[in-house]
Short mmCIF file of all heavy atoms in Angstrom, two decimals:
data_model
loop_
_atom_site.label_atom_id
_atom_site.label_comp_id
_atom_site.label_asym_id
_atom_site.label_seq_id
_atom_site.Cartn_x
_atom_site.Cartn_y
_atom_site.Cartn_z
N ILE A 220 0.91 -11.19 15.84
CA ILE A 220 2.33 -10.87 15.68
C ILE A 220 3.08 -12.24 15.64
O ILE A 220 2.92 -13.08 16.55
CB ILE A 220 2.84 -10.09 16.84
CG1 ILE A 220 2.10 -8.73 16.91
CG2 ILE A 220 4.38 -9.89 16.72
CD1 ILE A 220 2.43 -7.93 18.17
N THR A 221 3.67 -12.54 14.57
CA THR A 221 4.43 -13.84 14.40
C THR A 221 5.96 -13.63 14.21
O THR A 221 6.35 -12.54 13.75
CB THR A 221 3.89 -14.67 13.26
OG1 THR A 221 4.07 -13.96 11.98
CG2 THR A 221 2.35 -14.86 13.44
N ALA A 222 6.70 -14.66 14.56
CA ALA A 222 8.15 -14.64 14.36
C ALA A 222 8.61 -15.97 13.88
O ALA A 222 7.97 -16.97 14.00
CB ALA A 222 8.84 -14.22 15.68
N SER A 223 9.79 -15.87 13.22
CA SER A 223 10.41 -17.13 12.78
C SER A 223 10.86 -17.95 13.94
O SER A 223 11.23 -17.43 15.02
CB SER A 223 11.64 -16.83 11.81
OG SER A 223 12.62 -16.25 12.53
N ASP A 224 10.95 -19.22 13.78
CA ASP A 224 11.50 -20.19 14.85
C ASP A 224 12.96 -19.71 15.18
O ASP A 224 13.29 -19.74 16.29
CB ASP A 224 11.52 -21.56 14.31
CG ASP A 224 10.23 -22.30 14.69
OD1 ASP A 224 9.38 -21.66 15.35
OD2 ASP A 224 9.99 -23.46 14.27
N ALA A 225 13.74 -19.29 14.14
CA ALA A 225 15.09 -18.99 14.45
C ALA A 225 15.21 -17.71 15.37
O ALA A 225 16.07 -17.72 16.25
CB ALA A 225 15.80 -18.65 13.11
N LEU A 226 14.35 -16.77 15.08
CA LEU A 226 14.32 -15.58 16.01
C LEU A 226 13.96 -15.95 17.45
O LEU A 226 14.58 -15.48 18.31
CB LEU A 226 13.40 -14.49 15.47
CG LEU A 226 13.61 -13.05 16.18
CD1 LEU A 226 14.89 -12.49 15.75
CD2 LEU A 226 12.47 -12.22 15.72
N VAL A 227 12.95 -16.72 17.54
CA VAL A 227 12.44 -17.16 18.85
C VAL A 227 13.52 -17.89 19.62
O VAL A 227 13.78 -17.67 20.87
CB VAL A 227 11.20 -18.04 18.68
CG1 VAL A 227 10.86 -18.81 20.02
CG2 VAL A 227 10.01 -17.27 18.24
N SER A 228 14.24 -18.85 18.93
CA SER A 228 15.21 -19.68 19.66
C SER A 228 16.52 -19.04 19.86
O SER A 228 17.23 -19.31 20.91
CB SER A 228 15.45 -20.95 18.84
OG SER A 228 15.92 -20.73 17.55
N GLN A 229 16.93 -18.12 18.98
CA GLN A 229 18.24 -17.53 19.04
C GLN A 229 18.26 -16.11 19.54
O GLN A 229 19.32 -15.71 20.13
CB GLN A 229 18.89 -17.56 17.65
CG GLN A 229 19.11 -18.96 17.11
CD GLN A 229 19.60 -18.99 15.61
OE1 GLN A 229 20.02 -17.95 15.16
NE2 GLN A 229 19.45 -20.15 14.93
N HIS A 230 17.20 -15.32 19.38
CA HIS A 230 17.29 -13.89 19.73
C HIS A 230 15.99 -13.46 20.39
O HIS A 230 15.35 -12.50 19.89
CB HIS A 230 17.59 -13.04 18.51
CG HIS A 230 18.92 -13.37 17.82
ND1 HIS A 230 20.10 -13.04 18.37
CD2 HIS A 230 19.17 -14.06 16.71
CE1 HIS A 230 21.05 -13.45 17.55
NE2 HIS A 230 20.52 -14.10 16.53
N PRO A 231 15.57 -14.08 21.45
CA PRO A 231 14.37 -13.61 22.13
C PRO A 231 14.39 -12.17 22.58
O PRO A 231 13.40 -11.53 22.78
CB PRO A 231 14.21 -14.55 23.29
CG PRO A 231 15.57 -15.09 23.54
CD PRO A 231 16.24 -15.21 22.16
N GLU A 232 15.61 -11.66 22.86
CA GLU A 232 15.75 -10.31 23.36
C GLU A 232 15.27 -9.26 22.28
O GLU A 232 14.85 -8.22 22.55
CB GLU A 232 17.26 -9.97 23.71
CG GLU A 232 18.20 -9.83 22.59
CD GLU A 232 18.66 -11.14 21.93
OE1 GLU A 232 18.21 -12.21 22.33
OE2 GLU A 232 19.48 -11.05 21.04
N LEU A 233 15.35 -9.69 21.01
CA LEU A 233 14.86 -8.82 19.92
C LEU A 233 13.32 -8.82 19.93
O LEU A 233 12.75 -7.81 19.55
CB LEU A 233 15.41 -9.20 18.58
CG LEU A 233 16.99 -9.21 18.46
CD1 LEU A 233 17.40 -9.54 17.06
CD2 LEU A 233 17.53 -7.87 18.92
N ILE A 234 12.70 -9.90 20.24
CA ILE A 234 11.29 -9.98 20.32
C ILE A 234 10.81 -9.05 21.48
O ILE A 234 9.86 -8.30 21.36
CB ILE A 234 10.80 -11.40 20.52
CG1 ILE A 234 11.21 -12.26 19.25
CG2 ILE A 234 9.27 -11.42 20.69
CD1 ILE A 234 10.84 -13.72 19.48
N GLU A 235 11.49 -9.17 22.57
CA GLU A 235 11.14 -8.27 23.77
C GLU A 235 11.27 -6.82 23.36
O GLU A 235 10.43 -6.05 23.73
CB GLU A 235 12.10 -8.63 24.93
CG GLU A 235 11.98 -10.00 25.51
CD GLU A 235 10.65 -10.16 26.31
OE1 GLU A 235 9.93 -9.17 26.44
OE2 GLU A 235 10.47 -11.33 26.86
#
Side-chain angles (χ1 to χ4, degrees):
I220 299 170
T221 63
S223 67
D224 271 355
L226 191 70
V227 167
S228 61
Q229 299 173 16
H230 300 285
E232 75 282 1
L233 300 186
I234 298 176
E235 295 285 1

